[in-house]
Amino acid sequence: MAKYYAPVFLVVILIVGWIVAGLGERDLYRESATAERSIHAYDDPTTPIKDISITAYYFVPANKAADAPDSSWKEPLISALDDLKRFHEIQFAGLSRISYTIYPTAIIGKNPNIFYDTDLTERGNPHALESITDEIAASGSAASVAPGAYRVAYIIYDGVGASGTNHAALINRRFLVDPAYGGTRESLAAHEFYHTLGIPDGYDLATGTSTTADLMGLGRTTRPLKENYLERGTLAHLGL
Amino acid sequence: MINNKLFALIFGSPMRNRFVLFFIALALVPTLALGITAIYFIDLSHRLDVAALETQLIDQKIAEIKTFFADTQGAMDIRVAFEQKSEIERSQQAFLLKGLLSENKAFREVRLENLAGIVTAKDTRDGDAEQSTQTNLPEQSTGGLEDVSRLPEFTAPKGGASYIGPVRETLEGPMITLAMPVHNRSGDIIQVLAADISLARLFASIGKTQLGQSGYVLLFDRDGVLISSPFQTPALGGGFSQRERVAHILGGGMLSGTETKDLYESYVNKAPVIGAGKRVPALGWVILAEWPVADANSVIDDLRLEVLELTLLSIAAVLLLAPLFALRLTRPIHELGRAARAIEAGKLDTSIAIKTGDELEELGEQFNTMAKGLKRLQELRNEFVHIVTHELRAPITAIKYAAALLKDGTVGTLNEETKKLVEPIWVSSNHLVNLVNDLLEVATSEAGKLRIAIERIALAPIVQEVCEELRSFAGERHVELKYDAPAGAAPLPLVFADTTRVKQVLMNFVSNGIKYNRADGTVTIHHEMTPTEIITHVTDTGKGMSAEEQAHLFEKFYRSAGNDKKIEGTGLGLFIAKDLIEKMGGTVSVASTLGEGTTFSFSLPRTTA
């Protein structure tokens, strides 16, 4: 009969162990895994924009070099870039971040402003952007960026227009300092920056009629950056 | 050794084991069943309670959201008093917008749009201040402040529908755009009223919602974007529409909080949570209440622990008490067994005291009665044997004496034929006398009538006397009788014994040694001293005995199967010798090796001198 002791006690211990360890405990439900989100340039999953590195330049045409401010051009630029950083972090849910450096001195162009400017500023001034970026690159002033970071050249220009294309944006310095642009100046600056990621305009270039209410459309001129946003549809093209 | 005894004490009784297992099974099955059932139902009840609390909280939050939008849209539901199908006067538009801003703090910007999609007036709140900035299109102006004709916030209300835009994250907090048609008295749409609404206070209220210590509420919009969370992290963005739970609710389902899949790892903090969720009607948002398991179950864990402790305590008590109960039941039976063995060993005055107040006590009393009966029977038998042997001894002795006279020729010379007849008479009568004497000795002893006078005596003279008396007998058998008396100055210490009885024992041992010896053998007597005893050894050079024979040697009427039947003996001599030595406080033993001989020994208590 003693031989039954061990099995009986084993059964008791097992039952008690089961009560202690598992009775009433439910298993954690495991959801099927979803693909990791990858934040990338507009409609370009091969170009990650997790880290965006901006190098900002102040570019002055040769004929305006004498009138260029000594260092006061930096302050509004820093303010605009800081606002852009915060805005970007909110819009991208922290999945993409901006860092920036400012080229310390103004870059004096080789040509007068007539060379860079155009009469057709409805489309920004892509000619100036192209010419100036080429000139900066040729001068050896282009800053190096961290490996893997998405590189952006952001140019404050003592001329006319505002424009943006992949990896480069240009904005008339007046937009940042003229009181006429008031509360929307940071929105304008940000609008041009987002073109560097490939985001298109949210308005009809021919008529000027907005097709979106966000920063890329109506919001660029009607809302301050702190109340602005990027539309869901736009963010979806960026991997969000 | 101790472990063996302990093991025997615990497991050595099959009946007790059976009782123990029976008790354990009988007590543990209901205890465990009760514990398991209690824990199961406590857990089930708690699970339903948690789900009910979560659902109740969700319903409260849905009501809060609905109230917020009902208030906001109610304020924007404008129907002008005139019937003309024209826009409101510009001056009135400004007044109307100012009123809206002051009425509801959630309005950040309000604007009126004409049916061409041109903003004709707008009023923007300056931060949280009461002041606002108005921008109005001058009366009769054909231009516009802004062209919104292609935006859904205009096209939907122009078609008669209310517009609720997506929630958008801004540096000022979560915002939403609402737009509604403005009607004239006839119900015609004359303008569109759009407003940017701050959701910060609504979401703050939802974010502060707490279940227990750490439960919280998450809010997703109709695109599956997380728009409200209590965690101080940036908004987590979209992508949740593809997640199983959010997709399920967006598809019209709900999470009850009671299903298996409602216990999961939270999307936002990766903690195991119990979740319930519903869809917010009209808005299509998803609201999820998540309660970390550790917190939600803290109460139930305590309760489960208490039930568990109680169950374990019961089990421990059963395991502890079952052997005691079994022992209580089996002890009288073991007492009966022990007493039965004592009676088997001849201890007929054995009695047991069982005080259980039941059939076992009754059985114990019957056992004692039986033992008394047996003792009385033995006393009667002993008395009978004593009387019979006493009465037989005189006539048998007379017969033996007469046969001796005839055999010896004292009463005349017998012819050979008569001698042959007298010889068996003499042998038989001699055997009968010895038998009767031995039986009388045994009966006297068992009747407690044997008289032994203990005194200080010297062993050596007794041994020498016995040797002298048996020397001629030994000579007849060609056996040498040797006594290794203690030599030197130190004499053998005295012993406490009866001289007659010691001599009787020695006579028995030595005569046996002679009788069962081989021709030319020896019988040697020597002593051994211990601090308390003197042991006397009688060693012969006979054929020895097996261990089996040695084990029964001192039993009454035992005669070894290998004995020469011609050798006289009653089978009582060694029994009597053992009885006498033990009555004098000593012990008797035998050591024998087949083919080598046998040593009988007896010990007697010695004096210290």
Side-chain angles (χ1 to χ4, degrees):
Chain A
M1 185 57 70
K3 66 185 175 185
Y4 296 117
Y5 271 90
V8 166
F9 283 118
L10 187 65
V11 168
V12 169
I13 288 166
L14 286 175
I15 292 174
V16 170
W18 173 62
I19 293 173
V20 172
L23 183 60
E25 293 287 342
R26 288 187 292 167
D27 290 334
L28 207 61
Y29 179 76
R30 301 284 178 191
E31 199 172 299
S32 52
T34 53
E36 283 286 318
R37 283 182 292 178
S38 168
I39 310 302
H40 52 76
Y42 194 86
D43 282 344
D44 183 6
T46 61
T47 306
I49 56 167
K50 183 169 178 283
D51 296 306
I52 299 170
S53 181
I54 297 175
T55 307
Y57 303 93
Y58 175 39
F59 187 85
V60 183
N63 60 322
K64 293 188 176 182
D67 302 329
D70 45 9
S71 63
S72 61
W73 57 272
K74 285 184 182 173
E75 191 178 328
L77 178 59
I78 290 170
S79 173
L81 289 173
D82 283 342
D83 285 346
L84 175 62
K85 274 182 69 173
R86 287 197 295 275
F87 175 83
H88 185 80
E89 191 159 334
I90 288 283
Q91 298 306 310
F92 283 78
L95 299 173
S96 171
R97 293 176 192 278
I98 290 175
S99 61
Y100 70 85
T101 54
I102 298 174
Y103 194 75
T105 57
I107 297 174
I108 308 301
K110 293 178 179 174
N111 301 294
N113 67 302
I114 193 74
F115 174 81
Y116 306 106
D117 291 347
T118 172
D119 293 336
L120 299 171
T121 55
E122 290 86 357
R123 292 179 184 275
N125 190 354
H127 168 71
L129 178 58
E130 190 178 340
S131 305
I132 293 168
T133 50
D134 286 347
E135 207 167 304
I136 290 172
S139 70
S141 305
S144 59
V145 299
Y150 187 85
R151 176 180 50 81
V152 172
Y154 196 79
I155 301 158
I156 309 302
Y157 171 54
D158 259 351
V160 298
S163 185
T165 186
N166 285 346
H167 295 287
L170 173 144
I171 186 168
N172 182 349
R173 188 170 68 90
R174 202 159 55 86
F175 286 153
L176 296 182
V177 295
D178 192 335
Y181 295 97
T184 60
R185 63 171 59 121
E186 288 86 1
S187 288
L188 279 170
H191 173 92
E192 298 307 337
F193 162 76
Y194 281 107
H195 283 313
T196 70
L197 304 183
I199 303 176
D201 282 314
Y203 59 92
D204 189 323
L205 288 174
T207 64
T209 304
S210 297
T211 53
T212 67
D214 70 344
L215 180 72
M216 303 312 288
L218 185 64
R220 76 191 188 284
T221 56
T222 60
R223 284 196 182 90
L225 189 62
K226 63 184 179 181
E227 293 179 9
N228 238 319
Y229 65 101
L230 289 171
E231 279 211 337
R232 289 280 166 74
T234 302
L235 292 172
H237 284 278
L238 295 157
L240 269 172
Chain B
M1 182 61 80
I2 291 172
N3 287 340
N4 288 342
K5 283 183 179 176
L6 187 65
F7 186 84
L9 182 69
I10 296 172
F11 300 112
S13 167
M15 176 177 277
R16 195 169 66 232
N17 292 341
R18 195 171 287 119
F19 274 127
V20 169
L21 289 177
F22 176 73
F23 283 138
I24 288 173
L26 197 66
L28 283 193
V29 167
T31 302
L32 288 171
L34 196 65
I36 291 167
T37 308
I39 289 175
Y40 175 78
F41 279 106
I42 286 169
D43 183 71
L44 181 64
S45 168
H46 175 69
R47 198 184 304 173
L48 294 174
D49 287 345
V50 168
L53 282 170
E54 289 185 328
T55 307
Q56 187 181 1
L57 186 70
I58 288 168
D59 289 341
Q60 283 176 6
K61 294 299 121 184
I62 288 176
E64 193 175 329
I65 294 167
K66 283 169 77 175
T67 301
F68 176 85
F69 279 93
D71 290 349
T72 308
Q73 288 180 307
M76 293 174 66
D77 188 9
I78 295 169
R79 187 176 293 269
V80 297
F82 56 80
E83 293 188 351
Q84 294 88 331
K85 202 173 178 181
S86 60
E87 67 179 79
I88 304 167
E89 285 181 21
R90 299 279 163 82
S91 59
Q92 292 298 311
Q93 288 185 23
F95 179 75
L96 180 66
L97 296 181
K98 179 72 78 180
L100 278 173
L101 275 188
S102 61
E103 186 180 337
N104 193 327
K105 292 279 175 60
F107 286 113
R108 308 301 298 182
E109 181 180 286
V110 285
R111 49 193 177 270
L112 278 164
E113 299 153 3
N114 65 23
L115 295 181
I118 303 300
V119 175
T120 53
K122 72 174 180 181
D123 204 340
T124 306
R125 187 185 300 280
D126 297 334
D128 288 328
E130 293 294 329
Q131 291 80 16
S132 63
T133 303
Q134 279 207 334
T135 313
N136 299 309
L137 196 65
E139 206 78 47
Q140 307 305 322
S141 170
T142 55
L145 296 174
E146 296 157 16
D147 183 354
V148 295
S149 59
R150 293 174 65 179
L151 301 181
E153 71 170 61
F154 170 75
T155 55
K158 186 189 174 190
S162 295
Y163 170 77
I164 301 176
V167 176
R168 55 182 191 263
E169 284 295 334
T170 74
L171 289 167
E172 288 282 276
M175 306 275 285
I176 193 169
T177 297
L178 303 183
M180 296 180 72
V182 177
H183 296 92
N184 64 12
R185 199 159 72 181
S186 304
D188 300 319
I189 297 170
I190 57 170
Q191 278 191 272
V192 168
L193 173 62
D196 291 339
I197 312 289
S198 169
L199 297 171
R201 289 189 181 179
L202 175 67
F203 286 0
S205 167
I206 291 171
K208 284 177 188 169
T209 304
Q210 207 167 347
L211 257 174
Q213 295 294 316
S214 57
Y216 52 86
V217 168
L218 301 175
L219 198 60
F220 302 84
D221 71 5
R222 58 192 173 217
D223 297 323
V225 174
L226 181 63
I227 53 178
S228 173
S229 162
F231 300 101
Q232 296 300 315
T233 56
L236 297 179
F240 291 97
S241 61
Q242 302 303 315
R243 304 301 285 267
E244 202 172 311
R245 267 169 290 282
V246 176
H248 175 68
I249 299 172
L250 283 173
M254 67 172 285
L255 299 180
S256 66
T258 59
E259 304 293 326
T260 307
K261 64 181 180 182
D262 297 340
L263 176 65
Y264 56 90
E265 189 180 75
S266 171
Y267 296 140
V268 292
N269 63 3
K270 304 298 178 194
V273 295
I274 301 166
K278 281 186 177 178
R279 196 162 186 234
V280 181
L283 293 171
W285 294 355
V286 169
I287 184 164
L288 268 184
E290 293 187 340
W291 199 348
V293 174
D295 182 28
N297 287 351
S298 60
V299 175
I300 195 74
D301 283 345
D302 291 345
L303 198 58
R304 286 175 78 239
L305 191 63
E306 284 177 17
V307 172
L308 194 62
E309 284 172 352
L310 202 62
T311 305
L312 291 177
L313 200 64
S314 303
I315 290 170
V318 167
L319 295 179
L320 189 69
L321 292 178
L324 296 180
F325 276 119
L327 191 64
R328 173 85 173 79
L329 280 174
T330 56
R331 183 186 291 160
I333 296 167
H334 285 295
E335 280 288 305
L336 279 168
R338 185 187 56 76
R341 285 191 295 278
I343 285 173
E344 183 195 9
K347 297 175 181 173
L348 296 180
D349 53 352
T350 301
S351 69
I352 53 175
I354 298 173
K355 301 293 179 189
T356 56
D358 53 19
E359 288 88 340
L360 285 171
E361 183 175 334
E362 199 177 318
L363 181 63
E365 287 167 358
Q366 288 167 353
F367 184 90
N368 287 339
T369 306
M370 179 195 73
K372 283 176 186 170
L374 285 173
K375 189 178 180 189
R376 178 63 191 147
L377 273 176
Q378 191 193 39
E379 285 170 354
L380 286 172
R381 188 200 67 184
N382 289 344
E383 194 175 342
F384 171 76
V385 171
H386 187 264
I387 291 169
V388 167
T389 51
H390 193 268
E391 292 301 319
L392 280 174
R393 190 165 67 165
I396 287 173
T397 305
I399 292 169
K400 179 187 171 188
Y401 178 68
L405 291 176
L406 286 170
K407 183 175 173 284
D408 294 344
T410 309
V411 292
T413 305
L414 301 179
N415 58 32
E416 287 303 313
E417 193 173 351
T418 306
K419 279 183 180 175
K420 285 180 182 175
L421 290 172
V422 169
E423 181 67 19
I425 293 171
W426 185 85
V427 170
S428 297
S429 61
N430 195 41
H431 178 71
L432 273 174
V433 167
N434 289 339
L435 178 62
V436 165
N437 283 339
D438 284 351
L439 281 174
L440 190 60
E441 185 86 19
V442 171
T444 303
S445 176
E446 288 181 346
K449 295 176 180 174
L450 191 68
R451 293 183 183 280
I452 294 175
I454 304 287
E455 55 188 333
R456 294 164 184 263
I457 60 169
L459 277 175
I462 299 172
V463 176
Q464 285 161 352
E465 194 175 329
V466 168
C467 286
E468 285 306 316
E469 288 183 18
L470 290 176
R471 196 167 301 282
S472 61
F473 177 55
E476 289 171 12
R477 298 292 182 113
H478 305 288
V479 172
E480 186 185 3
L481 198 54
K482 294 198 294 188
Y483 176 40
D484 293 339
L492 198 63
L494 300 180
V495 294
F496 293 102
D498 183 323
T499 304
T500 307
R501 299 305 180 188
V502 172
K503 183 178 177 184
Q504 186 179 344
V505 171
L506 264 174
M507 287 291 283
N508 181 276
F509 284 2
V510 176
S511 62
N512 278 347
I514 295 167
K515 281 192 283 186
Y516 297 107
N517 216 322
R518 57 179 166 76
D520 299 326
T522 57
V523 173
T524 308
I525 303 162
H526 74 279
H527 303 290
E528 177 188 344
M529 278 190 290
T530 72
T532 56
E533 292 175 324
I534 292 178
I535 304 167
T536 303
H537 302 285
V538 179
T539 304
D540 64 45
T541 53
K543 59 184 178 181
M545 287 176 286
S546 67
E548 170 71 18
E549 286 174 311
Q550 292 174 51
H552 299 283
L553 204 58
F554 294 100
E555 290 176 5
K556 207 185 286 183
F557 298 113
Y558 178 79
R559 296 200 72 197
S560 172
N563 276 350
D564 188 346
K565 298 299 179 189
K566 291 177 180 175
I567 298 174
E568 284 185 13
T570 62
L572 289 169
L574 289 175
F575 174 80
I576 292 168
K578 180 173 181 286
D579 184 50
L580 291 173
I581 291 296
E582 285 176 354
K583 277 187 166 59
M584 289 187 286
T587 57
V588 173
S589 62
V590 62
S592 181
T593 305
L594 278 171
E596 292 184 9
T598 304
T599 298
F600 285 94
S601 307
F602 67 89
S603 67
L604 288 168
R606 55 168 276 192
T607 60
T608 52

